[in-house]
Amino acid sequence: MPYDPARESADPWVLAASLTRRLPYWAALDDAMLLRDGSYEVGVEIDPVYLDSMSDTELELLHRRLMRLIEMLPPGERLRLVYSRYLEPPSFADGFASSGAHGNHASQRLHAARLATLREAAASGRIVGRRLLLSFTYHPPRMKTGRRRGLFFPAVLGGVAALTAAAVTSGQWALAAATGGLVASGTAWLMGAGQGRRPFTPLPEDLLDQDLRDIRTLRERIFTTLQAAGLRPRPLTPDGYMEWAWRHFNPGRATAGLRAPRAPSSDRLADIPHSFYSGARKWLGRGAWAAPTTFRELAAPSSVIRDERHLMVDGHTVQVMSIDTLPVGVTTMNALGSLLSQHFPVTVVVDIVKDPRGAAMRRLMLRQRLLRSITVSDMGQDEPAAVRGIEKVAETQYRLAGGETEVVRVGCAVIVSGADRDEVQRRTEHVVSWFANEMQDVRLVVEDAALARTFFALAPFSGEVMPRTRAAEAENGVDFLPLSGPPRLSDRPVMPLHTRYSTVMWLDPFDPRLSAWNAVLAGPTGSGKTVFAVGLALHAYAAGARVIVVDRGSNVPPGPWLTATRAIGGQYITFDPSSGIAINPCDLPPGQVEPDPSKLSFLTTLISRMASDRGE
């Protein structure tokens, strides 16, 4: 009998709530995502880096450039990297289908066979795609003082009301204080100053423009750092914001290859207030006509059902794991590298929160006091570890005060999903086993009580920080950034090459980014040099190139080049004294009467080689 989550997970005492109302307010502008509280989150899509071939010097240089990324992040903001590994749908080969329409009938038949093989491999789940999102939050300076200003007017009005009541009641200060408190509370409630997270209110145009100017400046600085690190940053459009959010809340549709809807226009920055929405649902036929379609209504149309250990989202089972303790000691660059090279679909999220320097110093002082209390309490085996911890904290305090490092909060979570519970359980066990073998000091928690909260906090552009974060030096936090990926050759789909990452990369011999269109194939006999060269020539011919092969040998019996030439109906010319075909180096191009200087230089060099004395 199939699993029915509504039948097994329904609780009559738990009322269903709107998923749309649980999400933060989203309004995708041209440069950022505007959130409910007036803050922003800016998204940038970057390319994973092939770190396997980097030397220690190159890894250290990359580490320094990523440290610069942490340094330029404003205090109190959060940097997030979302590494998405997903199964490629068969439609990923559409670009290859359109690029191979050249050549004769035989070449087109070969191309159709290659295309069918690619699509079959994608349909069977043997091709995995990878995408990497970097986002950072931005809280305008006015948000730090906005709440105090919001309470100033209610407090003054309450004080005036208290003094007036005391004068009217001839000094009844208790009654006057109660009256003033009621007036202040009522004024604050009407103004919305007492609510921590109010429904979104559209910003004035001047404030919105100022915020976007500040965001552009910060984004340009981050772009420069990412380009120096070789990460190829690309700004997100509103549709790009929609795609990332939609894929998080619709794993079933994304796995089936469906496309995300287009983002709504950003000129409608209005949402239904909660009180009006509740009344409209009851009296006005759910009030669906009362407001335009919002970003979050399009991004999360599916339901979320929670049981003891899993979430049911868009017909898929979802499980979340979080790191509860960071590694002890020194970390190395690309700490999550082998986890990122796995084949099954998974999403890895890493948060780095840059707290103000003063808060970091206070946290270190508190930790030092706790460690000192352990040393003086004579707790046996814990005392040597506490002594080493005190030395490490003192060293960190010294470096932090000197500006040599930053103390950040680091969080790492892994999201796995699948069509059924057994598949998700296998993938969860695989991730837990990887952490147990590769990071023995790390404690990985399979979320249960905080599962739904963590899932919503990990959503792209949620503006939230994942629940489990731990303090660490910025150098260690950079080591956890998920950046490793397969090599990338070209964006033009000419010749597909399978990698050990279960991905397909494209080889284009005429990529304009190459410094020269020359190549050398080297390898021992029988390693496949000729087969690869023939395949590259046939793919280039199907893509519209003119192929000329000069092969030394008799080709009898027919070799691979002659076989390929005959298969596509090409011309085969044999240069042999008995064939009657020869090359005259003195021939001139049509219309040219006498040789030019370059032709004369070529003939002089050729004749000097042919007429030289023996031994020279």
Side-chain angles (χ1 to χ4, degrees):
M1 182 176 180
Y3 171 68
D4 185 359
R7 183 183 302 275
E8 296 188 19
S9 306
D11 188 341
W13 299 102
V14 178
L15 299 178
S18 171
L19 174 60
T20 302
R21 295 292 142 181
R22 170 60 180 82
L23 300 177
Y25 180 85
W26 281 331
L29 308 177
D30 292 337
D31 299 295
M33 181 77 82
L34 178 61
L35 304 179
R36 174 188 302 203
D37 58 355
S39 64
Y40 302 85
E41 186 158 358
V42 184
V44 178
E45 190 160 356
I46 57 181
D47 288 334
V49 184
Y50 186 54
L51 301 180
D52 296 359
S53 61
M54 284 191 176
S55 63
D56 293 341
T57 303
E58 292 173 325
L59 287 175
E60 180 62 25
L61 180 61
L62 177 62
H63 189 278
R64 280 194 227 137
R65 288 169 174 167
L66 294 175
M67 277 291 298
R68 177 63 179 161
L69 184 66
I70 305 299
E71 293 171 0
M72 68 176 55
L73 192 69
E77 305 296 349
R78 183 261 290 156
L79 180 73
R80 169 172 290 180
L81 270 83
V82 181
Y83 189 101
S84 176
R85 189 171 65 227
Y86 57 93
L87 295 179
E88 288 279 15
S91 60
F92 97 102
D94 290 347
F96 179 67
S98 60
S99 68
H102 303 277
N104 60 2
H105 178 67
S107 176
Q108 293 177 1
R109 289 185 60 186
L110 285 173
H111 179 73
R114 300 188 197 105
L115 182 61
T117 302
L118 268 182
R119 286 181 170 164
E120 190 276 331
S124 60
R126 299 199 306 269
I127 300 180
V128 180
R130 285 166 170 79
R131 296 179 65 179
L132 184 56
L133 172 70
L134 182 147
S135 65
F136 60 91
T137 59
Y138 176 73
H139 293 77
R142 66 174 181 277
M143 296 185 64
K144 301 177 182 179
T145 57
R147 184 156 184 166
R148 293 184 179 179
R149 282 192 215 153
L151 295 175
F152 176 77
F153 183 72
V156 171
L157 191 59
V160 172
L163 293 176
T164 304
V168 172
T169 58
S170 301
Q172 297 293 330
W173 288 102
L175 180 60
T179 304
L182 289 174
V183 172
S185 300
T187 305
W189 181 78
L190 291 173
M191 295 178 59
Q195 301 177 6
R197 293 178 64 86
R198 301 189 300 274
F200 177 75
T201 302
L203 294 174
E205 186 175 354
D206 57 340
L207 289 180
L208 188 62
D209 292 340
Q210 179 61 42
D211 292 344
L212 293 180
R213 284 195 296 270
D214 296 340
I215 288 174
R216 291 190 192 102
T217 301
L218 179 60
R219 191 182 65 177
E220 288 301 322
R221 295 170 59 193
I222 290 179
F223 262 49
T224 303
T225 303
L226 294 175
Q227 288 172 349
L231 297 178
R232 298 177 60 187
R234 300 178 298 279
L236 288 183
T237 62
D239 290 337
Y241 283 100
M242 171 62 74
E243 183 182 5
W244 276 97
W246 182 84
R247 291 180 70 91
H248 182 80
F249 289 104
N250 300 273
R253 292 178 173 89
T255 302
L258 300 181
R259 301 194 175 200
R262 295 185 61 87
S265 174
S266 61
D267 58 355
R268 299 182 295 180
L269 301 182
D271 205 354
I272 307 176
H274 191 274
S275 58
F276 174 75
Y277 178 75
S278 302
R281 284 174 58 87
K282 183 176 180 181
W283 301 316
L284 303 178
R286 297 186 177 271
W289 54 272
T293 303
T294 60
F295 186 97
R296 56 183 175 178
E297 289 174 338
L298 294 175
S302 304
S303 60
V304 175
I305 302 176
R306 188 191 186 287
D307 61 14
E308 295 80 5
R309 298 292 298 273
H310 305 88
L311 292 177
M312 292 293 298
V313 185
D314 190 30
H316 269 49
T317 304
V318 177
Q319 181 56 267
V320 181
M321 294 150 280
S322 303
I323 288 181
D324 193 44
T325 58
L326 296 177
V328 178
V330 180
T331 58
T332 58
M333 186 67 183
N334 193 26
L336 303 176
S338 58
L339 175 65
L340 303 178
S341 65
Q342 305 298 318
H343 299 169
F344 59 87
V346 72
T347 299
V348 180
V349 183
V350 174
D351 280 359
I352 294 182
V353 183
K354 184 178 179 181
D355 290 329
R357 189 178 295 268
M361 292 291 291
R362 289 192 297 270
R363 191 178 295 109
L364 287 174
M365 292 178 62
L366 177 60
R367 179 171 178 80
Q368 194 173 46
R369 291 176 183 174
L370 292 175
L371 293 173
R372 288 187 185 279
S373 66
I374 295 175
T375 59
V376 300
S377 62
D378 192 17
M379 298 185 66
Q381 60 182 2
D382 294 334
E383 184 176 351
V387 172
R388 291 194 300 269
I390 291 175
E391 296 175 354
K392 180 63 177 177
V393 169
E395 179 185 353
T396 303
Q397 288 175 325
Y398 179 81
R399 297 178 61 205
L400 181 62
E404 300 177 17
T405 186
E406 298 281 352
V407 174
V408 297
R409 286 187 289 127
V410 181
C412 178
V414 181
I415 306 174
V416 295
S417 63
D420 54 60
R421 289 187 176 188
D422 293 337
E423 185 178 24
V424 171
Q425 187 63 30
R426 289 194 301 270
R427 294 173 179 176
T428 300
E429 292 174 355
H430 189 94
V431 174
V432 172
S433 175
W434 183 89
F435 274 95
N437 296 327
E438 300 293 333
M439 295 186 179
Q440 299 180 5
D441 298 327
V442 171
R443 180 170 177 263
L444 187 69
V445 176
V446 180
E447 299 289 356
D448 46 19
L451 176 58
R453 178 190 171 195
T454 306
F455 178 74
F456 286 115
L458 295 178
F461 324 115
S462 66
E464 303 180 25
V465 179
M466 66 177 63
R468 300 181 190 270
T469 57
R470 296 295 179 262
E473 294 187 29
E475 292 89 340
N476 303 109
V478 168
D479 292 338
F480 273 89
L481 294 181
L483 300 173
S484 178
R488 187 185 183 97
L489 296 181
S490 176
D491 295 327
R492 185 185 176 197
V494 175
M495 182 178 182
L497 300 176
H498 292 269
T499 71
R500 61 185 180 89
Y501 288 81
S502 295
T503 61
V504 170
M505 65 179 182
W506 304 104
L507 174 61
D508 181 8
F510 301 106
D511 191 335
R513 295 175 301 174
L514 298 177
S515 58
W517 293 337
N518 304 315
V520 175
L521 293 178
T525 303
S527 60
K529 300 184 300 297
T530 304
V531 173
F532 176 79
V534 171
L536 179 59
L538 291 176
H539 279 88
Y541 173 72
R546 182 184 179 189
V547 180
I548 301 175
V549 179
V550 179
D551 187 22
R552 178 184 178 185
S554 60
N555 266 311
V556 178
W561 286 113
L562 181 57
T563 302
T565 302
R566 290 175 175 174
I568 62 175
Q571 184 180 9
Y572 175 67
I573 302 174
T574 302
F575 294 98
D576 186 85
S578 61
S579 64
I581 301 176
I583 296 177
N584 183 6
C586 299
D587 280 346
L588 299 177
Q592 189 172 350
V593 178
E594 58 183 16
D596 54 17
S598 61
K599 184 71 172 182
L600 290 175
S601 176
F602 164 73
L603 292 175
T604 302
T605 304
L606 178 64
I607 294 174
S608 66
R609 294 290 187 270
M610 296 171 63
S612 61
D613 294 336
R614 183 181 300 276
E616 291 187 6

